[in-house]
Amino acid sequence: MQLGMIGLGRMGGNMTERLLQGGHQVVAYDFNATAVQALVSKGAAGASSIADLAAKLDAPRAVWSMVPSGEATEQTVAAVGEALSPGDAIIDGGNSNYKDTMRRSAALQAKGIAYLDAGTSGGIWGLKGGYSLMVGGDRATFDRLEPIFQTLAPGVDKGYAHVGPSGAGHFVKMVHNGVEYGLMQAYAEGFQLLQAKEEFDLDLAGIAQVWRFGSVIRSWLLDRTADALAEDPRLEALQAYVEDSGEGRWTVKESVDLGVPAPVITLALQQRFRSRQESSFADRLLAAMRQQFGGHAVRKAK
């Protein structure tokens, strides 16, 4: 099957390579010409622009956008929509807000162009192990493009599904990432407790390896945790600064809008915010209050 791929960053490039390995014909485009040439050397056809990419695809055409969410996706989808024709399809594999997805889908549907939202998980490991794909949008278009999803997934019968109408794929991926926040926070707190019990001199990397096999808390995230601890047992090369890419915030907001409690995910997001504060004003104020009402000792700023 033939597919256009726009966005050849690390994940988009790996996905393109997996499609090529699966026997698909891929026309690749990115602002970075070097990234395009790297995939041309692996069997892709290169394109010099979105219009050139569209011209090199046979009808009915399908173009996968793998660019950052927000304005980058907005501009890319608009440009691709202008280059395509009725009967063609766009797949958004980025982490778009599902409400934006529904809006874009309605606008494209008026032009006769299908818009699938493919929530994609797997990170840098997907090239080898496959990607988890949560796809929303028109069912008939999904059925037509299913061989692409089967190739990208861990297997032809697992790891991917049509989960609902337009927006559903990105909604499911949003919640997936919220769950990811909670799992990561739980592992982080557990290992911090182990590290704090200094009298036992615990081998955290070794414990991570033990938990990986047979334990009820084994997971792919734990596998990656074990790798990180094996490389740097005290994590001295890292700063305690954790970014969030947006999906956790959207998940928490959705829990408020729907009246569905999500305390673990919410607290995990708040902990990421906390990690970015070197000297929290709130904590300084807490110390000041303790001193004011109880005369408790405080540590003066250096």
Side-chain angles (χ1 to χ4, degrees), residues 275-298:
S275 76
R276 303 168 203 168
Q277 297 181 313
E278 289 188 14
S279 180
S280 165
F281 177 82
D283 287 347
R284 296 199 304 274
L285 187 57
L286 283 173
M289 286 188 285
R290 291 185 76 246
Q291 184 186 42
Q292 289 291 326
F293 74 70
H296 298 289
V298 294

Side-chain angles (χ1 to χ4, degrees), residues 61 74-90 103-115:
R61 296 170 289 187
E74 192 73 26
Q75 293 182 6
T76 299
V77 170
V80 175
E82 289 298 317
L84 297 185
S85 303
D88 295 339
I90 300 173
R103 170 178 55 79
R104 293 176 189 133
S105 178
L108 288 165
Q109 187 176 19
K111 297 181 178 182
I113 299 171
Y115 189 59

Side-chain angles (χ1 to χ4, degrees), residues 23-278:
H24 296 278
Q25 299 175 353
V26 181
V27 180
Y29 170 69
D30 192 279
F31 287 120
N32 183 352
T34 301
V36 175
Q37 288 306 310
L39 288 166
V40 168
S41 69
K42 295 180 180 180
S48 58
S49 66
I50 289 177
D52 183 38
L53 178 143
K56 290 180 176 178
L57 294 171
D58 298 328
R61 296 170 289 187
V63 177
W64 191 303
S65 171
M66 203 66 192
V67 301
S69 63
E71 191 58 29
T73 292
E74 192 73 26
Q75 293 182 6
T76 299
V77 170
V80 175
E82 289 298 317
L84 297 185
S85 303
D88 295 339
I90 300 173
I91 307 166
D92 178 6
N95 286 324
S96 292
N97 188 298
Y98 78 94
K99 295 178 181 178
D100 290 333
T101 297
M102 295 172 71
R103 170 178 55 79
R104 293 176 189 133
S105 178
L108 288 165
Q109 187 176 19
K111 297 181 178 182
I113 299 171
Y115 189 59
L116 299 182
D117 47 300
T120 306
S121 181
I124 61 175
W125 299 87
L127 173 59
K128 181 179 179 180
Y131 299 89
S132 174
L133 301 167
M134 301 143 258
V135 187
D138 176 62
R139 180 64 196 234
T141 303
F142 170 85
D143 290 342
R144 175 170 71 84
L145 300 177
E146 188 170 11
I148 291 171
F149 303 126
Q150 290 176 323
T151 299
L152 289 171
V156 296
D157 58 350
K158 59 185 178 183
Y160 78 96
H162 179 265
V163 297
S166 177
H170 283 152
F171 184 84
V172 173
K173 177 56 163 53
M174 177 193 76
V175 176
H176 163 284
N177 282 24
V179 172
E180 180 184 294
Y181 278 37
L183 290 171
M184 293 172 69
Q185 185 65 31
Y187 281 129
E189 292 176 9
F191 278 97
Q192 181 163 269
L193 276 170
L194 295 174
Q195 189 267 343
K197 195 65 173 175
E198 296 180 355
E199 65 190 272
F200 286 165
D201 191 25
L202 297 171
D203 177 3
L204 302 190
I207 291 169
Q209 286 294 339
V210 171
W211 286 356
R212 287 182 61 208
F213 304 99
S215 163
V216 297
I217 61 168
R218 63 189 183 273
S219 72
W220 185 81
L221 276 174
L222 182 59
D223 294 344
R224 304 287 71 78
T225 301
D227 289 344
L229 291 171
E231 294 169 6
D232 185 2
R234 299 187 64 82
L235 303 180
E236 294 172 330
L238 301 178
Q239 293 184 19
Y241 187 102
V242 186
E243 290 282 8
D244 73 287
S245 54
E247 295 86 350
R249 300 185 191 211
W250 300 340
T251 304
V252 171
K253 184 178 184 305
E254 199 69 30
S255 78
V256 174
D257 291 345
L258 295 175
V260 175
V264 172
I265 295 172
T266 302
L267 184 56
L269 174 65
Q270 297 294 333
Q271 285 295 102
R272 292 194 179 199
F273 296 157
R274 180 62 179 270
S275 76
R276 303 168 203 168
Q277 297 181 313
E278 289 188 14

